[in-house]
Amino acid sequence: MTINEAKFAGSCTRVSQKPSRKLPEFAFIGRSNVGKSSLINMLCGNRKLAKTSQTPGKTKLINHFLINDSWYLVDLPGYGFAKISKEGREELRKMINDYIGQSEDMVLLFVLIDCRHDITRIDRDFITGLGENGIPFAIIFTKCDKLGPNALKAQIERDRHILSEQWEELPPMFTSSADTGAGRDEILEYIRKYI
Ligand code: GTP
Ligand code: MG
């Protein structure tokens, strides 16, 4: 699938405020700074579409991007960001969970994991919540340009091992790099099958 057109369609904090057109949504979630916004830009071939930052906690709202006038990519705020108040973190957590639980148009959630580190307790707890609520998801290992092929393979194996302690069947997994464009075709092809 090719993305011919990607437009910002609005920011919201809850389902009742999201764009009114009922179109399939594919959302990106993960820890702050994992590369959600950068990945959306890479998929769309537009570095300026979603705002990115070296400082974690950049995306604080739920942002919709209308793709090919027929579906949405949704950029969610990061979870588990330590450098905000407990109340602020709780508010974000609620915003994310309410949205994921309530948006009837959400087809699939991509959970992003930084390929340089073992999957964290926070990620695992989040994934457990998805399982408990029956929310379909896939995993994307981001920033794969930062590791050589062997190290990347070994890291993914470790994460698969960690996840299989809890899950009998593992979700689909992809690797991506916003810098090199790796993973773009595979992720878009995967989305296409759902549309
Ligand atoms: P929040 O909105 O703060 O939750 O962060 P985010 O997950 O949207 O991350 P963002 O896309 O803003 O990227 C965070 C930092 O990681 C930026 O400095 C990006 O340039 C960098 N980054 C993102 N993706 C990649 C990647 O694939 N490779 C490399 N080398 N750097 C990346
Ligand atoms: Mg962001």
Side-chain angles (χ1 to χ4, degrees):
M1 178 172 59
T2 40
I3 291 186
N4 303 313
E5 192 188 28
K7 314 194 268 209
F8 176 64
S11 299
C12 66
T13 56
R14 60 178 84 104
V15 168
S16 59
Q17 305 166 329
K18 72 175 185 161
S20 52
R21 286 178 72 187
K22 280 192 82 62
L23 297 173
E25 295 180 354
F26 297 83
F28 293 75
I29 187 81
R31 297 194 73 185
S32 216
N33 213 43
V34 69
K36 300 174 289 296
S37 302
S38 302
L39 177 58
I40 287 178
N41 289 347
M42 183 273 268
L43 294 175
C44 297
N46 179 351
R47 279 176 184 275
K48 293 198 178 126
L49 193 64
K51 292 200 179 65
T52 64
S53 169
Q54 289 180 334
T55 320
K58 178 72 185 171
T59 310
K60 293 195 183 71
L61 296 168
I62 298 161
N63 294 304
H64 282 69
F65 299 95
L66 178 62
I67 310 299
N68 295 347
D69 204 38
S70 55
W71 52 280
Y72 289 113
L73 278 177
V74 184
D75 191 9
L76 293 166
Y79 55 73
F81 178 41
K83 284 188 196 146
I84 48 174
S85 67
K86 206 172 158 206
E87 293 75 34
R89 204 156 59 224
E90 179 53 28
E91 204 174 298
L92 271 185
R93 196 191 63 80
K94 190 166 163 11
M95 192 204 293
I96 294 166
N97 286 347
D98 285 356
Y99 191 86
I100 293 170
Q102 293 168 10
S103 179
E104 289 172 1
D105 306 306
M106 176 104 73
V107 176
L108 184 73
L109 196 61
F110 288 102
V111 179
L112 276 52
I113 310 283
D114 188 324
C115 78
R116 292 171 296 179
H117 314 290
D118 282 358
I119 186 164
T120 64
R121 164 57 58 191
I122 296 177
D123 294 317
R124 290 164 66 193
D125 288 347
F126 183 80
I127 290 174
T128 302
L130 295 179
E132 284 168 1
N133 292 295
I135 293 163
F137 68 96
I139 289 178
I140 302 179
F141 295 99
T142 62
K143 309 192 184 185
C144 72
D145 54 281
K146 298 267 194 184
L147 290 182
N150 292 338
L152 180 64
K153 211 167 149 226
Q155 181 61 55
I156 292 173
E157 266 319 304
R158 265 205 303 282
D159 287 331
R160 291 183 78 90
H161 179 75
I162 294 171
L163 285 169
S164 36
E165 285 169 5
Q166 197 174 352
W167 296 80
E168 239 166 71
E169 204 183 317
L170 294 178
M173 293 182 184
F174 301 90
T175 51
S176 76
S177 164
D179 281 14
T180 68
R184 185 172 189 267
D185 294 348
E186 292 80 1
I187 294 166
L188 288 179
E189 179 56 22
Y190 188 69
I191 290 175
R192 189 189 62 80
K193 289 188 187 148
Y194 279 88
I195 296 178

